[in-house]
Amino acid sequence: MATNATGHSTGADYDAQTVKRRQGPADGPNGSAVQDSHTDDEQKKTRRTQQQQSVLSYLDEYEFLLAPIIFTLLSFATRMYRIGRSNIVTWDEAHFGKFGSHYLKREFYFDVHPPLGKMLVGLSGYMAGYNGSFEFKSGEKYPAELNYTVMRVFNATFGALCVPLAYYTAREMNFRRPTIWLVTLMVLFENSYATISRFILLDSMLLFFTFTTVLCWARFHNLRRESFSPEWWLWLFSCGISIGCVCSVKWVGFFCTALVGLYTAEDLWNKFGDLRMPKVELGQHVVARVAGLIVVPVIVYMFSFWLHFLVLENSGPGDAQMSSLFQANLKGTSVGKDSPLELAYGSRVTIKNMGYGGGLLHSHVQTFPEGSNQQQVTCYHHKDANNDWFFYPNRSEPAFDKDAPIKYVGDKHVLRLIHAQTGRNLHSHTIPAPITKADNEVSCYGNMTIGDEKDHWTMEVVRDVASSDRSKIRTLTTAFRLKHTPLGCYLRAGNVNLPQWGFKQIEVTCTKQNNPRDVYTHWNVESHVNEKLPPGDPGSYKSPFFRDFLHLNVAMMTSNNALVPDPDKQDDLASQFWQWPILDVGLRMCSWDDKVVKYFLLGNPVVYWSSTASLGVFVAIVAWYLVRWQRGYKELKPADIDQIHYAGLYPVIGWFLHYIPFVAMARVTYVHHYYPALYFAILVVGFVLDHLTRPLPRNVQWTVYGALYALVVGVFILFRHISFGMTGPSSQYRHLKWSSKWRITD
């Protein structure tokens, strides 16, 4: 039988041996017994070999299930081993734990990141039975009633699930089994991934949705010959949902969106060039991708903000970032509460800029360091007594008399704005603004008696959501512009931040352009105090969701742009983009006291250095084939070119999109900003090794991969303490300080 012939360890033909023995003389006095004994032994060996082959065949057949299960179990072990060992608030847990508390207390807050990841942090707190009362101060010990371990395990689950996602992504990229295992092991035993997944942070969620997006994209690409099949639709919309989720955790997700967008543009361009494809079918492809990769992500992204607004129904620390009308509808707010509805001279008010991300008109005793050297005027996003102003008549009219009859402020009135804390007038002149040089500077000047006509502003009503009557200005509902009467420019607060001398607050200028549709020249009265006027209920008017959505996103963008390094301060945790790929620096996540469990955010050197080197090797491979192609060699088949294109080039593009923006980014950066880019570099490692080892004999291939497996796992084990926690004096971990810039020891 064929099975016997192939299964015999010596390669001899079992039937031929049997026939020979039957025809020849016996070897001993009891030859027939010897012959039967030999036959039984060979049959047992054959059956044993067949059983072994059957087991191996079973393992081979179900490797796509068994291997990821084993990898996933190991992933949960590396992410959750001693996860509750440190009982102090570690690194950015101080931020994201606090944001989770706001969701549990349903208090409105503001942050530069979209809300999905922080809502999930809030969910983890809810699952842990946490009531939101802890302040999450950095380095503070967790109270006994807060089960922080449950919250960390929730986050670590996202990090652990990245491992099977990496496995199936490598499969979809048509890598061979040794390469698939290597890519998976590099994600599994990457120290930085294992460390950052163990805490209440957003990074494990960001990585998880980045991994799901890449997997969905790769699977969708492999179904390109099954267009419009149910599975094709499933993976198209799954990719769209993943894009929406990754963008809803951090805006870094837009880099992943750009990768899928480039692929989609190329795919549709190729279809456009296929003259055999009917125009109707081409149109269907375009519509399908618009629906799946644009409409669906936008819906997911907007839905996360809708939930954000729905949950955070109470007034909180982030109110001032939103429009006045939005704040007036929060429970427990002071905005609009008991405020008189109609504005009169002598009223004490706060004035809100209605541009997206706009703040409150503000002034303080500090002066401009250049220009007029007069008192600064800015926009500020927090409640402060320096936000208060009085409406007073202009200097050509009788002085304000609080005992005189009430006179209401109306459209086209020429008036003065007096800063309540300093008594100075809102003022402008032809001196250029400090940052926006094309505009005039706005300052505070003089006092109640000293001043000139450049203290005068003309009220221009834009609209009123409550009334068409422009004879009166109403709290919250009236949008107006303030025109500088002598110069004709308009009070404006864009999204330009002043330097440190202006406390990074928003620059206020007087723009010379008369653009009634410029929302950054629109203002409204937010709070209003006047004892002579009856209280109103301006908060009964609702703010539209879409306007609130845009307003919050622009505010996030403005605040994000303001996160620039302070030249006057030393940030020991910050790092530069060039340091990340070469693992030049790590990050201390907590105090380095001997009594504290210490964590050092550092990658696996084998993973980092090999992934960075693979980027250069890939460029060399492409250059090699381009030179040979130019010389007339045609050694690559269309399938080989396709593999280089989609399994090699696109991961390189993914790395480029996730890394290069930080080169040009002015904001302060840290080592964890590289982690999404690192994943794409790991995929490039997979492609390079898969391509270079393919011609090698099978035993040589496994020798190479076996050595790499051992290196990745061995180095992770060597550096395990930086991930699982270092106890006692840091000096005992001096053997891990391979670089002088790795501040593992003092």
Side-chain angles (χ1 to χ4, degrees):
M1 294 176 63
T3 53
N4 291 340
T6 57
H8 202 280
S9 60
T10 63
D13 188 300
Y14 173 76
D15 293 334
Q17 292 284 348
T18 304
V19 171
K20 183 176 181 181
R21 289 195 185 96
R22 288 175 179 174
Q23 291 177 347
D27 293 331
N30 190 13
S32 60
V34 173
Q35 175 182 318
D36 292 340
S37 175
H38 287 177
T39 302
D40 291 341
D41 290 343
E42 291 180 2
Q43 287 177 342
K44 289 179 181 179
K45 288 181 180 178
T46 301
R47 284 195 296 270
R48 188 159 51 247
T49 303
Q50 289 175 339
Q51 290 173 353
Q52 291 174 349
Q53 287 185 333
S54 176
V55 172
L56 291 175
S57 176
Y58 176 84
L59 293 175
D60 181 72
E61 182 180 358
Y62 291 98
E63 182 272 344
F64 74 99
L65 289 176
L66 297 174
I69 289 174
I70 294 171
F71 287 135
T72 303
L73 292 175
L74 289 172
S75 180
F76 274 93
T78 57
R79 271 62 177 171
M80 297 186 183
Y81 178 65
R82 293 183 172 179
I83 195 169
R85 191 179 189 184
S86 174
N87 63 349
I88 64 170
V89 178
T90 302
W91 196 37
D92 277 353
E93 284 186 331
H95 298 300
F96 301 115
K98 187 187 302 179
F99 297 147
S101 299
H102 289 310
Y103 284 107
L104 294 172
K105 293 186 290 185
R106 307 191 71 173
E107 294 177 341
F108 193 83
Y109 73 94
F110 175 78
D111 181 46
V112 297
H113 300 301
L116 178 59
K118 293 166 293 186
M119 281 194 286
L120 291 172
V121 171
L123 175 61
S124 71
Y126 177 80
M127 294 169 62
Y130 170 50
N131 61 9
S133 59
F134 185 57
E135 294 185 7
F136 280 90
K137 293 182 179 178
S138 183
E140 189 171 322
K141 188 176 180 179
Y142 281 107
E145 62 272 15
L146 200 169
N147 194 341
Y148 64 92
T149 301
V150 171
M151 298 180 70
R152 287 179 177 174
V153 166
F154 182 89
N155 271 56
T157 301
F158 286 93
L161 292 176
C162 289
V163 172
L165 291 171
Y167 173 88
Y168 285 112
T169 300
R171 281 179 62 94
E172 292 300 328
M173 289 187 165
N174 299 316
F175 294 155
R176 289 172 294 119
R177 183 174 297 169
T179 308
I180 295 171
W181 290 1
L182 178 63
V183 168
T184 309
L185 286 172
M186 292 180 83
V187 174
L188 169 59
F189 292 112
E190 167 49 40
N191 292 83
S192 61
Y193 286 175
T195 306
I196 206 162
S197 297
R198 302 167 66 83
F199 298 99
I200 306 170
L201 307 171
L202 301 187
D203 298 273
S204 59
M205 302 171 193
L206 175 67
L207 289 171
F208 174 80
F209 289 119
T210 299
F211 280 48
T212 58
T213 301
V214 177
L215 172 60
C216 293
W217 161 74
R219 182 59 185 157
F220 177 72
H221 170 70
N222 286 337
L223 292 169
R224 61 193 180 280
R225 295 182 180 86
E226 302 176 32
S227 298
F228 307 114
S229 65
E231 189 178 4
W232 184 89
W233 283 108
L234 172 65
W235 287 100
L236 172 65
F237 281 99
S238 296
C239 188
I241 293 171
S242 293
I243 290 172
C245 288
V246 72
C247 293
S248 299
V249 174
K250 281 188 176 183
W251 278 350
V252 173
F254 285 113
F255 304 148
C256 208
T257 307
L259 176 67
V260 178
L262 286 174
Y263 165 80
T264 303
E266 183 200 4
D267 185 39
L268 291 176
W269 181 253
N270 291 336
K271 285 177 170 54
F272 178 73
D274 185 0
L275 300 181
R276 296 169 298 177
M277 179 176 289
K279 294 180 180 178
V280 173
E281 184 178 348
L282 176 61
Q284 290 171 339
H285 276 287
V286 173
V287 171
R289 283 157 177 78
V290 169
L293 301 178
I294 297 178
V295 175
V296 168
V298 168
I299 290 174
V300 171
Y301 185 75
M302 294 182 68
F303 180 70
S304 71
F305 281 88
W306 181 82
L307 281 179
H308 178 73
F309 294 143
L310 179 68
V311 173
L312 304 182
E313 63 178 5
N314 298 320
S315 176
D319 294 6
Q321 292 284 350
M322 299 301 294
S323 70
S324 303
L325 204 54
F326 177 90
Q327 296 179 57
N329 286 279
L330 293 172
K331 295 179 180 179
T333 184
S334 60
V335 174
K337 185 179 181 180
D338 299 329
S339 291
L341 184 61
E342 295 160 340
L343 200 68
Y345 287 99
S347 291
R348 183 175 183 141
V349 301
T350 59
I351 302 174
K352 175 84 170 180
N353 184 264
M354 299 184 70
Y356 302 118
L360 294 161
L361 189 65
H362 176 94
S363 186
H364 38 241
V365 295
Q366 287 79 10
T367 60
F368 289 111
E370 56 184 22
S372 68
N373 299 119
Q374 294 175 1
Q375 185 171 301
Q376 296 175 18
V377 173
T378 65
C379 261
Y380 189 50
H381 287 106
H382 303 279
K383 308 295 184 184
D384 191 284
N386 280 321
N387 300 335
D388 291 353
W389 301 82
F390 286 106
F391 275 100
Y392 268 49
N394 65 63
R395 296 189 183 279
S396 62
E397 295 181 357
F400 171 71
D401 182 0
K402 64 179 181 179
D403 296 323
I406 294 173
K407 181 180 179 182
Y408 291 99
V409 178
D411 190 26
K412 307 302 182 185
H413 283 205
V414 178
L415 47 82
R416 287 184 296 153
L417 281 166
I418 310 294
H419 187 239
Q421 292 296 305
T422 61
R424 299 191 182 279
N425 305 281
L426 186 69
H427 183 89
S428 187
H429 33 230
T430 55
I431 297 173
I435 306 298
T436 311
K437 298 296 184 181
D439 294 350
N440 293 326
E441 180 192 85
V442 175
S443 63
C444 270
Y445 170 74
N447 52 39
M448 298 289 289
T449 57
I450 299 174
D452 54 33
E453 63 175 3
K454 291 181 180 178
D455 301 333
H456 293 170
W457 300 84
T458 302
M459 175 72 67
E460 293 187 359
V461 174
V462 178
R463 63 182 177 277
D464 194 315
V465 297
S467 174
S468 59
D469 179 13
R470 297 195 172 195
S471 64
K472 295 179 181 178
I473 307 300
R474 295 169 179 82
T475 305
L476 297 178
T477 64
T478 302
F480 57 84
R481 298 201 300 164
L482 289 171
K483 178 182 178 181
H484 193 259
T485 309
L487 300 179
C489 56
Y490 287 84
L491 190 69
R492 188 179 193 275
N495 285 323
V496 178
N497 293 92
L498 292 170
Q500 190 60 47
W501 55 256
F503 308 102
K504 301 293 179 67
Q505 295 173 11
I506 302 297
E507 179 191 37
V508 173
T509 66
C510 198
T511 180
K512 301 170 186 175
Q513 297 181 354
N514 181 10
N515 180 9
R517 302 183 66 179
D518 181 4
V519 293
Y520 295 101
T521 63
H522 296 182
W523 304 82
N524 67 266
V525 172
E526 182 170 284
S527 65
H528 178 196
V529 177
N530 193 320
E531 295 177 354
K532 299 177 69 175
L533 298 174
D537 186 24
S540 59
Y541 300 100
K542 301 297 181 184
S543 180
F545 164 74
F546 189 69
R547 183 180 297 171
D548 295 335
F549 168 77
L550 289 178
H551 191 108
L552 181 54
N553 274 267
V554 176
M556 289 158 52
M557 185 183 304
T558 304
S559 297
N560 205 20
N561 292 337
L563 296 175
V564 296
D566 189 343
D568 299 327
K569 293 182 180 179
Q570 175 76 22
D571 190 346
D572 292 332
L573 301 182
S575 55
Q576 298 295 318
F577 67 90
W578 62 266
Q579 297 177 290
W580 306 334
I582 60 175
L583 202 62
D584 185 62
V585 68
L587 185 148
R588 291 184 177 182
M589 301 184 72
C590 55
S591 166
W592 231 238
D593 187 88
D594 291 350
K595 297 179 181 179
V596 173
V597 180
K598 297 170 281 293
Y599 296 88
F600 192 70
L601 199 54
L602 184 75
N604 185 320
V606 174
V607 175
Y608 262 73
W609 293 336
S610 63
S611 63
T612 301
S614 70
L615 296 167
V617 174
F618 176 81
V619 173
I621 290 173
V622 172
W624 168 261
Y625 285 122
L626 286 175
V627 170
R628 290 180 64 81
W629 173 77
Q630 184 67 17
R631 295 292 295 170
Y633 293 94
K634 296 181 180 179
E635 54 198 323
L636 293 177
K637 300 176 182 178
D640 297 326
I641 297 174
D642 187 76
Q643 180 70 1
I644 293 173
H645 187 180
Y646 292 103
L649 180 60
Y650 269 98
V652 171
I653 294 174
W655 176 86
F656 185 89
L657 290 172
H658 283 79
Y659 177 67
I660 296 302
F662 289 101
V663 176
M665 205 173 287
R667 63 154 291 170
V668 62
T669 52
Y670 303 95
V671 292
H672 69 288
H673 289 142
Y674 185 67
Y675 293 167
L678 176 62
Y679 176 54
F680 290 95
I682 290 173
L683 293 176
V684 178
V685 172
F687 169 80
V688 167
L689 285 171
D690 195 79
H691 184 79
L692 294 179
T693 60
R694 193 175 292 269
L696 300 177
R698 185 177 178 83
N699 59 336
V700 176
Q701 290 182 25
W702 280 106
T703 300
V704 171
Y705 279 99
L708 291 172
Y709 298 159
L711 269 176
V712 171
V713 177
V715 172
F716 174 83
I717 293 173
L718 177 65
F719 282 84
R720 67 191 182 278
H721 296 291
I722 68 172
S723 299
F724 300 151
M726 298 180 286
T727 56
S730 60
S731 58
Q732 62 183 310
Y733 303 101
R734 194 176 302 278
H735 62 284
L736 302 179
K737 192 173 182 179
W738 292 6
S739 169
S740 60
K741 295 183 180 179
W742 297 358
R743 298 175 62 241
I744 297 175
T745 60
D746 292 329

